[in-house]
Amino acid sequence: MELRTSLPEIFDEFGEARRQGFLTVKEIKEKGKPVVGVYCTFMPEELVLAGGAIQISLCSTSDETIPDAEEDLPRNLCPLIKSSYGFGKTDKCPYFYFSDLVVGETTCDGKKKMYEYMEEFKDTYLMQLPHMRDTEESKKLWYSELVRFKEKLEDFLDVKITDEKIREAIVLKNRERKAKQDFYRLGQLNPPAITGQEIFQVMYGSQYKFDKEEVIQMLEETTAKVKEKYEAGERLDKKPRILVTGSPMGGVTEKVIRAIEENGGLVVAYENCTVAKAVERLVDETEEDVYQALTDKYINIGCACMSNNQPRKELLSQMIDDYQVDGVIDMVLQNCIPFSVESLKIKRFLNEEKQIPYMYLETDYSTSDIEQINTRVTAFIEMLEEEAVCTQ
């Protein structure tokens, strides 16, 4: 593979990955390789890889097809659900079109019921997530769901998925996770090495490159190049350091990142799905039972869809310390009930236990609230700057 030497070139390639990936998936399909589309980081990619297929993220982040979705779904539903359904219904998403099987999950009631409509026009399989993560019954349920999913893949793809194939996939995915960790942890450097937009661009784009070895190599190259330039003295100005948490991000919701970085702040860390939430914890490669190893990893993803979301607090606490965070912005999609309801607990935890300023920011997939977001974010950053002056 050609060695990239220019950081802007590398970032642009990741930024274009989702669009360029359409052609790649078409080529993959023409070669007869099956494609499994998913909507959530709870979905165990190791099982898909062990089945000889590729896994693609299908979550849509545009309001383009929401009117089409609202012909079937309530208007006061989470925009991520409506957008995902709309792109599937209208066949405007090539990733959805090329997916042989779509795998859903019961992360929230809205998605669960939406999949009932989606299965009318696409082969759809639903995985049952437990409501709680820390009971033996929940762990047994999720273990059985992983086995059931493996059996579904064997039947649908007409393959035999062995423990050895799963173990090989676990090792490969862990290598990818480590490469991602090394990259996004560049945000810990102070003064900063790169912007939050660049971190997000690479992490979001890496989902749409389907050769794992290529992704790992590109991530390692990018990390090495950033460190090289940093050690040579190329650094950004110090600004209030922001951690973003909350609902899944991408597409239109990147307006929040721009609002932060165009108004005096810098995003140094993302606790949400696209970056740290699903990557920080590796799968235990020493566990003899591969399904137990996958159960322990995936059930502990700190999503608000499960009760007793201690893993989210633990990850936030660690990231605040490691990234020297000055303030946290909780970006929640309108009518995303799990994250919206959990926001008070997160605010209390951050304010009272971590003594970190917190701002709740609710938005959707339109651009009509950009000015309002800019105003609120600017005021939050100015407050952080004033607090920094007072503590000097």
Side-chain angles (χ1 to χ4, degrees):
M1 193 175 90
E2 180 184 355
L3 180 67
R4 296 155 184 80
T5 58
S6 166
L7 276 179
E9 179 186 57
I10 295 170
F11 293 142
D12 287 344
E13 180 163 347
F14 276 107
E16 288 291 308
R18 192 175 195 275
R19 187 171 62 85
Q20 295 297 331
F22 295 156
L23 299 176
T24 304
V25 172
K26 182 175 182 293
E27 293 171 0
I28 288 172
K29 286 286 292 182
E30 289 172 348
K31 293 177 181 178
K33 196 174 184 72
V35 176
V36 176
V38 303
Y39 287 97
C40 183
T41 52
F42 276 107
M43 298 301 96
E45 187 174 4
E46 289 86 350
L47 297 180
V48 175
L49 292 172
I54 67 166
Q55 181 167 298
I56 293 178
S57 175
L58 297 177
C59 272
S60 298
T61 54
S62 162
D63 62 359
E64 179 185 347
T65 63
I66 284 181
D68 298 287
E70 288 176 346
E71 293 175 359
D72 302 337
L73 303 176
R75 295 188 64 187
N76 62 341
L77 192 62
C78 166
L80 184 149
I81 299 174
K82 291 191 292 184
S83 179
S84 298
Y85 178 81
F87 273 96
K89 176 186 175 182
T90 60
D91 249 347
K92 290 184 178 180
C93 174
Y95 292 128
F96 187 93
Y97 175 81
F98 287 120
S99 293
D100 298 289
L101 177 69
V102 168
V103 182
E105 79 304 319
T106 57
T107 45
C108 75
D109 289 342
K111 285 179 102 177
K112 179 173 66 178
K113 300 305 290 186
M114 178 270 284
Y115 292 131
E116 294 180 7
Y117 292 103
M118 184 174 284
E119 66 185 3
E120 295 175 3
F121 51 82
K122 195 73 172 181
D123 283 324
T124 304
Y125 179 79
L126 190 65
M127 293 187 73
Q128 302 289 335
L129 274 168
H131 294 301
M132 302 182 71
R133 63 165 51 83
D134 54 357
T135 66
E136 286 304 313
E137 290 78 11
S138 294
K139 294 172 185 176
K140 289 177 182 177
L141 170 62
W142 190 232
Y143 184 104
S144 67
E145 281 297 294
L146 296 181
V147 174
R148 192 169 69 94
F149 181 45
K150 186 269 298 189
E151 293 170 349
K152 171 66 179 181
L153 289 172
E154 287 181 322
D155 180 64
F156 190 85
L157 302 175
D158 193 22
V159 296
K160 178 64 177 176
I161 299 177
T162 64
D163 285 6
E164 186 56 35
K165 288 181 180 178
I166 297 173
R167 199 172 300 281
E168 291 173 359
I170 287 173
V171 172
L172 180 60
K173 275 295 296 181
N174 275 349
R175 285 179 55 216
E176 182 190 39
R177 290 184 184 106
K178 289 174 184 175
K180 287 182 175 182
Q181 289 173 3
D182 288 342
F183 173 73
Y184 67 68
R185 286 175 183 170
L186 291 169
Q188 295 177 7
L189 295 173
N190 193 359
I194 53 178
T195 67
Q197 181 62 48
E198 289 166 338
I199 293 173
F200 193 84
Q201 194 174 2
V202 170
M203 291 299 296
Y204 187 66
S206 66
Q207 299 177 97
Y208 300 99
K209 289 183 172 294
F210 310 112
D211 183 327
K212 294 296 182 187
E213 295 292 347
E214 179 186 2
V215 171
I216 292 168
Q217 183 177 345
M218 285 189 68
L219 287 166
E220 290 174 345
E221 287 178 11
T222 307
T223 304
K225 180 58 64 175
V226 172
K227 288 182 176 179
E228 178 186 329
K229 288 184 174 292
Y230 191 80
E231 291 168 1
E234 294 188 26
R235 304 175 183 190
L236 303 179
D237 294 335
K238 284 194 171 186
K239 296 178 180 179
R241 299 168 65 84
I242 308 297
L243 180 149
V244 174
T245 183
S247 299
M249 291 186 75
V252 178
T253 52
E254 290 181 50
K255 61 189 174 185
V256 176
I257 303 172
R258 290 192 295 272
I260 294 168
E261 302 203 321
E262 291 174 3
N263 290 288
L266 188 78
V267 181
V268 296
Y270 299 88
E271 184 272 337
N272 56 21
C273 297
T274 312
V275 185
K277 190 188 296 293
V279 178
E280 276 293 304
R281 187 185 184 102
L282 303 179
V283 179
D284 184 358
E285 296 176 16
T286 66
E287 169 62 61
E288 292 186 9
D289 186 338
V290 291
Y291 300 102
Q292 188 61 55
L294 293 173
T295 296
D296 293 340
K297 185 270 185 296
Y298 283 94
I299 203 171
N300 282 299
I301 293 175
C303 180
C305 68
M306 286 195 194
S307 295
N308 187 22
N309 197 7
Q310 189 63 23
R312 185 183 181 193
K313 291 182 181 180
E314 292 172 356
L315 181 55
L316 279 170
S317 179
Q318 189 63 51
M319 293 182 75
I320 286 167
D321 296 341
D322 291 344
Y323 292 81
Q324 309 112 69
V325 170
D326 298 308
V328 172
I329 293 181
D330 193 357
M331 191 222 75
V332 177
L333 293 171
Q334 286 181 1
N335 297 302
C336 180
I337 304 303
F339 278 98
S340 178
V341 173
E342 189 170 271
S343 63
L344 177 59
K345 280 193 172 184
I346 297 303
K347 178 182 179 180
R348 287 173 175 169
F349 170 70
L350 295 174
N351 288 169
E352 298 170 10
E353 297 188 36
K354 300 299 292 185
Q355 290 81 51
I356 291 290
Y358 165 95
M359 185 178 80
Y360 177 84
L361 184 61
E362 190 171 287
T363 187
D364 60 12
Y365 286 169
S366 74
T367 57
S368 60
D369 60 352
I370 287 178
E371 289 306 315
Q372 181 189 38
I373 290 174
N374 280 326
T375 300
R376 293 194 60 209
V377 168
T378 299
F380 184 68
I381 292 171
E382 287 176 351
M383 180 195 71
L384 297 179
E385 291 173 330
E386 290 173 3
E387 288 189 355
V389 171
C390 293
T391 57
Q392 288 178 354

